[in-house]
């Protein structure tokens, strides 16, 4: 794979990496694709649970929507291999068109008996997302100047979190007015728009080499590279522990809200403030990674997260809002650092499966954390649980800082 272009500007613009990213045609197109597809995904994520709840009255079945979308992450190493066996740009286009067509089948979901179709589509949605993210990570590494990858990944976080602030309310409003199929249609339309964005990319790709090993060995090759690399392994391990703790913290949010004396809807305010913190750190990530290095940047963010999670044990509105903003700022740092390091330190032919394996190891523990947190919050006081989680995070940050 070769770059369609590589810019090396001189003068003031060279000192403004965010401007360089946004003025880079392919980088700007990638970000546009993230915004468009992220809007549809966030809208569907909320509406699908409400849809199931309305049809069944079951909180458990509604929660299965999130599980259906997350489960394919466990097969990330295997699914990521797909992104290394074919050209990435056509794969992104094909995956987007496939999902646009598949989402239209949700117009048939109108009763409890047809819910199996919704869960099936959400499962395929999650699997396609794993392949999509792996292909995108590899294509971005080929199209964007390596010096700007930290800035790009930070802006990608800002775009994703920004969509989480506006898309769920929009999806909920659309659902309330026109029902679940209307949200599926909206998401399908965003996939079609994303297809146009990917088609406009000017990245030239050489056909992938014919694999010399079978699928299982190819998948293992990505895992071996990730685990054997002294720079990548600590970041991925720290990311997995951080996301495990983040899941426990997320499960305790309603206990925190209850202690503050607010209705459960107040959790939406805390999540909005958290999202604002993530948007802000995404804008600062590139310069911070260059100044501190990936490991120190991630360790600093995890330390901030540790303090913020522990502070939630204090029943104060002002502290709850401040800690939510700090959680939003601290949590993405290790994700940005790990992805940037993977893109820098992995050869292009295996980057898809390595990126997908890293995503699985980092993101899958979040599901386990949510499940563990849901059980722990019933038996352990949040005023003991949250400081304990903060202590684990602080130990993780300390280990990551060590050479």
């Amino acid at each position: 794979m070769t770059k369609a272009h590589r810019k090396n500007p001189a003068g003031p613009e060279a000192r403004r990496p965010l401007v360089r990213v946004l003025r880079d045609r392919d980088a700007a197109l990638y970000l546009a694709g993230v915004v468009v597809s992220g809007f549809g995904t966030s809208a569907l994520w909320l509406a699908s649970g409400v849809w199931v709840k309305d049809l069944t009255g079951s909180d458990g079945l509604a929660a299965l929507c999130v599980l259906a979308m997350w489960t394919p992450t466990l097969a990330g190493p295997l699914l990521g291999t797909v992104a290394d066996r074919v050209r990435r740009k056509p794969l992104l286009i094909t995956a987007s068109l496939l999902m646009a067509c598949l989402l239209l089948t949700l117009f048939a979901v109108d009763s409890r008996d047809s819910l199996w179709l919704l869960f099936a589509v959400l499962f395929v949605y999650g699997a396609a997302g794993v392949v999509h993210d792996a292909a995108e990570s590899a294509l971005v590494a080929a199209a964007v100047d390596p010096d700007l990858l930290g800035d790009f990944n930070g802006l990608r976080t800002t775009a994703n979190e920004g969509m989480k602030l506006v898309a769920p309310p929009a999806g909920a409003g659309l659902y309330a007015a026109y029902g679940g199929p209307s949200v599926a249609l909206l998401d399908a339309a965003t996939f079609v728009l994303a297809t146009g964005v990917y088609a406009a990319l000017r990245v030239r790709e050489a056909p992938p080499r014919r694999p010399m090993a079978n699928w299982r060995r190819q998948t293992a090759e990505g895992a071996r590279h990730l685990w054997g690399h002294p720079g990548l392994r600590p970041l991925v391990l720290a990311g997995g522990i951080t996301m495990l703790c983040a899941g426990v913290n997320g499960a305790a949010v309603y206990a925190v809200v209850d202690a503050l004396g607010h209705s459960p809807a107040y959790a939406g305010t805390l999540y909005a403030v958290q999202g604002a913190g993530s948007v802000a750190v995404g804008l600062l990530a590139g310069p911070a990674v260059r100044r501190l290095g990936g490991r120190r940047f991630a360790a600093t963010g995890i330390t901030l997260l540790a303090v913020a999670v522990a502070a939630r044990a204090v029943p104060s509105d002002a502290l709850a809002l401040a800690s939510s903003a700090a959680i939003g700022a601290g949590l993405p740092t290790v994700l940005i650092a790990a992805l940037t390091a993977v893109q820098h330190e992995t050869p292009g032919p295996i980057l898809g499966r390595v990126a997908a394996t890293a995503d699985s190891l980092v993101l899958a523990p979040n599901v386990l954390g949510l499940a563990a947190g849901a059980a722990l919050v019933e038996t352990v006081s949040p005023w003991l649980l949250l400081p304990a989680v903060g202590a684990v995070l602080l130990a993780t940050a300390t280990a990551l800082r060590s050479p």
Side-chain angles (χ1 to χ4, degrees):
M1 184 184 297
T2 60
K3 285 183 171 47
H5 57 282
R6 174 65 64 85
K7 299 179 181 178
N8 293 295
E13 190 171 308
R15 296 189 293 273
R16 293 184 292 171
L18 291 181
V19 174
R20 287 174 57 192
V21 171
L22 294 176
R23 288 187 176 181
D24 184 292
R25 181 181 182 277
D26 282 338
L29 283 172
Y30 278 120
L31 288 173
V34 169
V35 170
V36 170
S37 60
F39 184 89
T41 298
S42 295
L44 183 69
W45 170 76
L46 175 65
S48 61
V50 178
W51 197 353
V52 171
K53 173 70 173 177
D54 282 348
L55 289 176
T56 66
S58 169
D59 291 329
L61 287 176
L64 285 180
C65 292
V66 177
L67 182 62
M69 295 180 73
W70 270 90
T71 298
T73 305
L74 301 175
L78 186 65
L79 293 171
T81 304
V82 176
D84 291 333
R85 295 175 71 99
V86 298
R87 289 187 298 153
R88 278 83 177 241
K89 177 180 171 179
L91 178 60
L92 288 174
I93 293 172
T94 301
S96 296
L97 288 176
L98 170 66
M99 289 311 306
C101 295
L102 194 60
L103 282 164
L104 296 180
T105 65
L106 295 183
F107 275 81
V109 177
D110 57 3
S111 68
R112 187 184 185 113
D113 291 340
S114 56
L115 275 181
W116 67 269
L117 179 58
L118 175 59
F119 289 120
V121 169
L122 291 176
F123 182 83
V124 176
Y125 198 114
V130 173
V131 176
H132 178 282
D133 287 349
E136 186 184 71
S137 295
L139 206 54
V140 163
V144 177
D145 190 318
D147 291 338
L148 298 178
L149 283 174
D151 300 276
F152 177 88
N153 290 328
L155 286 175
R156 189 177 188 274
T157 296
T158 294
N160 271 326
E161 295 301 324
M163 287 304 98
K164 290 177 184 178
L165 293 177
V166 299
L174 188 62
Y175 176 86
Y178 301 106
S182 65
V183 184
L185 181 61
L186 169 67
D187 199 11
T190 65
F191 274 112
V192 172
L193 290 174
T195 298
V197 170
Y198 298 134
L201 294 172
R202 292 176 179 170
V203 179
R204 294 188 300 270
E205 298 181 84
R209 290 177 297 177
R210 184 174 180 178
M212 302 301 293
N214 61 31
W215 199 289
R216 181 178 61 82
R217 289 182 178 177
Q218 277 193 290
T219 301
E221 184 181 1
R224 282 196 302 270
H225 173 83
L226 184 66
W227 200 251
H229 196 291
L232 299 181
R233 185 174 63 249
L235 276 170
V236 171
L237 284 174
I241 296 171
T242 299
M243 293 304 293
L244 177 70
C245 293
V248 176
N249 171 66
V253 66
Y254 289 105
V256 171
V257 170
D258 186 56
L260 293 172
H262 295 293
S263 70
Y266 188 71
T269 301
L270 297 182
Y271 280 127
V273 173
Q274 180 176 324
S278 296
V279 168
V281 80
L283 296 173
L284 302 173
V289 169
R290 280 189 294 275
R291 184 178 182 85
L292 300 174
R295 287 180 63 163
R296 287 180 61 197
F297 172 65
T300 301
I302 297 170
T303 301
L304 176 63
L305 178 64
V307 174
V309 168
R312 274 189 157 178
V314 180
S316 162
D317 280 325
L319 194 55
L321 292 170
S323 63
S324 292
I327 288 169
L331 183 57
T333 57
V334 69
L335 307 181
I336 294 170
L339 175 57
T340 303
V342 165
Q343 291 171 324
H344 273 302
E345 302 296 334
T346 305
I350 65 171
L351 183 49
R353 72 199 90 155
V354 173
T357 301
D359 281 348
S360 293
L361 292 174
V362 170
L363 298 178
N366 185 250
V367 181
L368 301 177
L370 284 167
L376 287 171
V377 79
E378 295 292 334
T379 57
V380 181
S381 168
W383 326 131
L384 294 176
L385 178 62
L386 292 174
V389 172
V392 173
L393 287 167
L394 192 59
T396 302
T398 301
L400 190 58
R401 286 181 186 274
S402 303

